Amino acid sequence: MTSGTRPRAACLIGWPAAHSRSPLIHHYWLRTLGIEGGYVIEAVPPDEFGDFVLRLSIRGFVGANVTIPHKERALALSKPDQRARAVGAANTLWFQDGELCSTNTDVEGFVNNLDAGVPGWDKATDALVLGAGGAARAVVFGLIERGIQRVHLANRTMARARALADQFGARVLPVAWEAIGDLLPRAGLLVNTTSLGMHGQPALELNVGLLPAEAVVADLVYVPLETPLLAASRARGLRTADGLGMLLHQAVRGFELWFGQRPQVTSELRALIEADLTHA
Ligand code: NAP
């Protein structure tokens, strides 16, 4: 079979080959949009990643998602867009005019999930972001791109918050982890990008009662689906956005780049992934 007649296929490159929901998501869209194509997981050790990516097209792939531990290498081996460069990591690869390009779709996954679920969230002038890891970089970049005036950044390791603020400029204000309680009353948007609240991790201890009544609370953690932070925020009547929504929205762009149609995040897709998470 020649590559011209072969169905288009993308893959997820990681090491080890962790359980991922991406095949379920992309297979759902391929099926519902009636596109003949595929999406597979490729376990590629770090010392083989460069060769794998250089031969991506020869291997029959139109593009790929990249996950731990390859995201920084993927950036270096491709032509990154502004988002991938700002985040310092690429999670999506595709070919444009024969050139391997990359982006980081966590940025739009975060922002589009908020737009879909909590419209008007960007009226907040002050956002409080907890955490300064890889996910925080995508969130902070998205907030700045969207015009949020002040992004207060609290991290257990203050030096990482400072480093991130140095990179993103004066609108990002590093704060000590102990100062979270002081900032809550003026946070129109609170985002947890730490792993606190995840199954097997300690809970995120903070008093959502201190947030303004119109505040929006977003949690990137999606196992469990309803984290203690989201549960407490909903109990207080605050609007919330969960991590599963971000995961689904970040997958849209890759699919569009590889298969040529922009898919929808439907309630049916969400229910499918929720069921998989619940039975995992
Ligand atoms: P990461 O780079 O390893 O960063 C982890 C962050 O959590 C760091 O800021 C770390 O602080 C903080 N942290 C860990 N344990 C802590 C504790 N006991 N107390 C206070 N802070 C603690 O991880 P990441 O890639 O940014 O991912 C973070 C979370 O976001 C994970 O739960 C991941 O599943 C989730 N995520 C979700 C999506 C989505 O689509 N929903 C996308 C990306 C990530 P230090 O700097 O002090 O270590």
Side-chain angles (χ1 to χ4, degrees):
M1 201 184 269
T2 69
S3 60
T5 58
R6 204 159 42 194
R8 296 161 80 82
C11 61
L12 169 67
I13 314 171
W15 183 261
H19 181 62
S20 163
R21 273 84 200 181
S22 294
L24 262 182
I25 298 171
H26 291 292
H27 287 154
Y28 169 84
W29 283 330
L30 288 168
R31 192 173 65 249
T32 54
L33 290 169
I35 296 173
E36 202 191 344
Y39 185 97
V40 295
I41 293 185
E42 293 278 357
V44 179
D47 59 345
E48 291 173 23
F49 181 73
D51 178 73
F52 190 93
V53 164
L54 286 176
R55 293 168 187 268
L56 197 62
S57 165
I58 296 167
R59 288 173 193 273
F61 293 115
V62 294
N65 281 136
V66 180
T67 188
I68 292 167
H70 301 311
K71 290 186 190 181
E72 286 81 14
R73 264 318 278 307
L75 182 84
L77 294 170
S78 59
K79 182 182 163 197
D81 70 359
Q82 200 199 358
R83 287 176 172 180
R85 273 200 306 272
V87 176
N91 69 355
T92 301
L93 299 170
W94 78 99
F95 292 97
Q96 197 172 317
D97 302 325
E99 191 171 20
L100 187 66
C101 301
S102 66
T103 186
N104 189 306
T105 61
D106 279 343
V107 179
E108 67 212 78
F110 172 68
V111 168
N112 291 354
N113 183 43
L114 291 183
D115 281 340
V118 282
W121 64 272
D122 55 346
K123 291 197 182 80
T125 50
D126 288 80
L128 173 57
V129 175
L130 311 180
R137 301 175 79 86
V139 165
V140 169
F141 186 70
L143 294 177
I144 290 174
E145 229 186 14
R146 194 56 177 261
I148 301 299
Q149 282 176 31
R150 285 178 295 273
V151 179
H152 306 273
L153 188 66
N155 194 47
R156 176 181 60 179
T157 310
M158 179 78 177
R160 283 185 94 188
R162 280 206 199 95
L164 211 146
D166 284 348
Q167 185 198 339
F168 285 106
R171 275 156 64 196
V172 181
L173 307 159
V175 290
W177 189 254
E178 297 70 30
I180 290 173
D182 300 336
L183 280 159
L184 288 173
R186 67 169 121 136
L189 174 68
L190 171 69
V191 188
N192 175 39
T193 80
T194 74
S195 44
L196 292 173
M198 207 166 128
H199 272 322
Q201 298 287 322
L204 173 59
E205 306 279 356
L206 57 78
N207 181 5
V208 293
L210 295 173
L211 285 164
E214 69 284 0
V216 167
V217 177
D219 201 335
L220 269 57
V221 172
Y222 57 90
V223 183
L225 274 172
E226 184 171 71
T227 60
L229 172 67
L230 292 178
S233 303
R234 284 172 191 157
R236 219 211 109 181
L238 300 175
R239 297 196 303 154
T240 60
D242 69 13
L244 177 56
M246 173 171 166
L247 182 77
L248 299 175
H249 279 279
Q250 71 76 31
V252 168
R253 181 97 195 283
F255 188 95
E256 182 182 26
L257 289 164
W258 306 322
F259 301 112
Q261 281 191 57
R262 190 165 179 85
Q264 298 292 314
V265 174
T266 61
S267 50
E268 188 185 39
L269 171 62
R270 198 186 147 95
L272 186 79
I273 308 303
E274 272 190 23
D276 185 67
L277 286 170
T278 311
H279 297 121

